[in-house]
Amino acid sequence: MDKARISGLLASFFTLIGLIALLSSGSHFPVYQWPYEAFQGLVFALAWGFGLSVGLSYLVSTVFVLLLLIIAFIAGTKASRCVLK
């Protein structure tokens, strides 16, 4: 694996950690439950706030998180290739 892919994976990882911290920052749950609570909070916001069905809310939340990770991976690899050139 080259340095650009490692940088992309790190960018995706830190983006996921940031998203989890953002969505569960005021939570009273332990840190190991934060990923679950963050995802459930996102699903709840879509279901209650926009009136989507529960199944559709899970689907949209999953696609949103995956797209965010893919965009962070691409940005991390591009930035790494620009810096390491």
Side-chain angles (χ1 to χ4, degrees):
M1 200 182 300
D2 58 344
K3 291 180 183 180
R5 285 189 184 171
I6 292 172
S7 298
L9 288 174
L10 286 174
S12 293
F13 177 72
F14 288 127
T15 300
L16 182 63
I17 295 298
L19 179 67
I20 290 170
L22 178 71
L23 292 176
S24 57
S25 60
S27 177
H28 62 281
F29 292 103
V31 175
Y32 67 88
Q33 289 182 349
W34 280 11
Y36 177 75
E37 285 299 317
F39 189 73
Q40 292 299 323
L42 187 59
V43 170
F44 174 75
L46 290 172
W48 187 73
F50 292 114
L52 299 176
S53 67
V54 176
L56 188 61
S57 296
Y58 276 105
L59 179 68
V60 170
S61 296
T62 304
V63 169
F64 174 74
V65 170
L66 288 175
L67 280 175
L68 189 65
L69 293 177
I70 290 169
I71 290 169
F73 179 81
I74 292 170
T77 56
K78 296 284 184 184
S80 175
R81 287 185 181 147
C82 287
V83 170
L84 296 176
K85 245 184 181 180

